[in-house]
Amino acid sequence: MISLRKINTLLIIIIVVMLLNHAVLSILYLYGVISYSPNFQITGRRLFYPVVAHIIISLYLYFKDKSRGVNRYPNLISDTNQQMISGIMIIVFATLHILGYSFNPLGGQSTFHFNLYHFIVDNMLFISIAMHLRVSIPKFMISFGFLDKPNAYLDFKRKVNWAVAAILIFLILGEVMYYIGGALW
């Protein structure tokens, strides 16, 4: 039987693929390559169920390990704390992101205040997701047994940090070009 940790890891893979799809569509829109599409909302909605399942399983595993005094990876305590805090931040900023675009969708008339709201919330959501993924991706590689050599975790984590930072910069620049650049023209 497959373990709950591996199911959670598979959910993470699904979520990352769906997030990349949502992010690519958003980036193409922000950079002016494509026009607005209802697919933005559809891909966002499809993220909801795997994310909720991931949250429930993660919390269950976290509290189960805490109650038994289990520390599966003793050197990863700060990473686990960062993962928990960034996960909470994702929930907060994803909720604000959804609410913001529900009240003032892309492509419609917008005020300076809504643009500023979208800019701040979206960037905080990007940062929260980046902080979460920089810990989650190496940990799920451990769960599948891919990082079993000495220093493999640290080497892989360093590469993930660079990749996540590059994507984060690209997303933030897109937001700057769209919101700040649009306000200047």
Side-chain angles (χ1 to χ4, degrees), residues 28-90:
L28 292 175
Y29 175 74
L30 291 172
Y31 281 100
V33 176
I34 63 172
S35 59
Y36 177 77
S37 167
N39 287 338
F40 297 157
Q41 292 178 353
I42 292 167
T43 57
R45 286 183 192 143
R46 288 184 181 151
L47 274 165
F48 179 76
Y49 295 108
V51 167
V52 168
H54 168 65
I55 291 167
I56 291 168
I57 292 170
S58 295
L59 287 172
Y60 171 77
L61 291 171
Y62 177 79
F63 288 116
K64 180 181 163 189
D65 288 349
K66 280 284 192 193
S67 70
R68 291 188 321 187
V70 173
N71 190 357
R72 292 175 55 89
Y73 310 109
N75 296 332
L76 304 179
I77 292 172
S78 66
D79 283 351
T80 303
N81 290 337
Q82 179 181 336
Q83 201 173 18
M84 180 67 82
I85 292 167
S86 62
I88 292 166
M89 289 172 49
I90 290 169

Side-chain angles (χ1 to χ4, degrees), residues 1-4 6-7:
M1 188 163 112
I2 191 164
S3 75
L4 204 50
K6 292 210 186 323
I7 291 170

Side-chain angles (χ1 to χ4, degrees), residues 34-150:
I34 63 172
S35 59
Y36 177 77
S37 167
N39 287 338
F40 297 157
Q41 292 178 353
I42 292 167
T43 57
R45 286 183 192 143
R46 288 184 181 151
L47 274 165
F48 179 76
Y49 295 108
V51 167
V52 168
H54 168 65
I55 291 167
I56 291 168
I57 292 170
S58 295
L59 287 172
Y60 171 77
L61 291 171
Y62 177 79
F63 288 116
K64 180 181 163 189
D65 288 349
K66 280 284 192 193
S67 70
R68 291 188 321 187
V70 173
N71 190 357
R72 292 175 55 89
Y73 310 109
N75 296 332
L76 304 179
I77 292 172
S78 66
D79 283 351
T80 303
N81 290 337
Q82 179 181 336
Q83 201 173 18
M84 180 67 82
I85 292 167
S86 62
I88 292 166
M89 289 172 49
I90 290 169
I91 293 168
V92 169
F93 290 116
T95 302
L96 292 173
H97 173 80
I98 292 165
L99 287 173
Y101 285 106
S102 295
F103 291 121
N104 188 271
L106 282 174
Q109 281 293 79
S110 189
T111 65
F112 172 77
H113 297 295
F114 263 116
N115 284 342
L116 183 62
Y117 172 87
H118 286 310
F119 179 78
I120 292 169
V121 168
D122 289 354
N123 283 300
M124 293 305 294
L125 179 60
F126 298 156
I127 291 167
S128 302
I129 291 170
M131 288 173 55
H132 197 75
L133 289 178
R134 68 170 287 281
V135 174
S136 298
I137 293 172
K139 283 178 77 173
F140 82 63
M141 294 300 279
I142 289 174
S143 293
F144 277 118
F146 293 124
L147 302 176
D148 55 357
K149 295 178 182 157

